[in-house]
Amino acid sequence: MLTGKQKRFLRSKANQLKPIFQVGKTGVNDNMIEQISEALEKRELIKVSILQNCLEDKNTVAEQLSAGTGAEIAQIIGNNIVLYKESLENKNIQLP
């Protein structure tokens, strides 16, 4: 579980990031979770955008992604979700 200080640190890092995944009308599926897991292993911190036509609530999508990938939700802002998962091989981010 992330502390408030760690979440603030991750939010500041995520500020410059562009969303690399989009959740659309079909919602979250196994293929998407697998790809996001691989991206988290490489980058540790990613942004996921939720499109207007997504039928599910952004909090539900965030929970599904978090549960599926084992990642922490650093932030939900607007239609973007920031996910963090410590990498096993490509550790770049040192949490405070």
Side-chain angles (χ1 to χ4, degrees), residues 8-88:
R8 282 193 299 278
F9 173 76
L10 291 171
R11 286 200 297 261
S12 71
K13 282 230 176 270
N15 197 17
Q16 313 88 300
L17 293 179
K18 297 271 182 267
I20 57 171
F21 288 99
Q22 295 180 324
V23 180
K25 190 163 59 175
T26 56
V28 178
N29 57 39
D30 292 339
N31 185 30
M32 179 184 292
I33 286 176
E34 195 175 306
Q35 290 180 341
I36 290 175
S37 288
E38 290 170 13
L40 281 165
E41 178 57 36
K42 288 191 179 75
R43 301 175 184 220
E44 291 188 303
L45 189 67
I46 64 167
K47 226 181 228 185
V48 180
S49 169
I50 301 174
L51 301 177
Q52 294 291 326
N53 64 355
C54 184
L55 302 175
E56 296 179 36
D57 176 54
K58 62 186 174 187
N59 295 319
T60 307
V61 171
E63 288 299 323
Q64 289 174 339
L65 291 175
S66 175
T69 60
E72 297 281 344
I73 301 167
Q75 183 180 34
I76 301 173
I77 184 163
N79 284 334
N80 292 320
I81 301 167
V82 178
L83 294 174
Y84 169 77
K85 183 177 182 186
E86 190 175 324
S87 174
L88 301 174

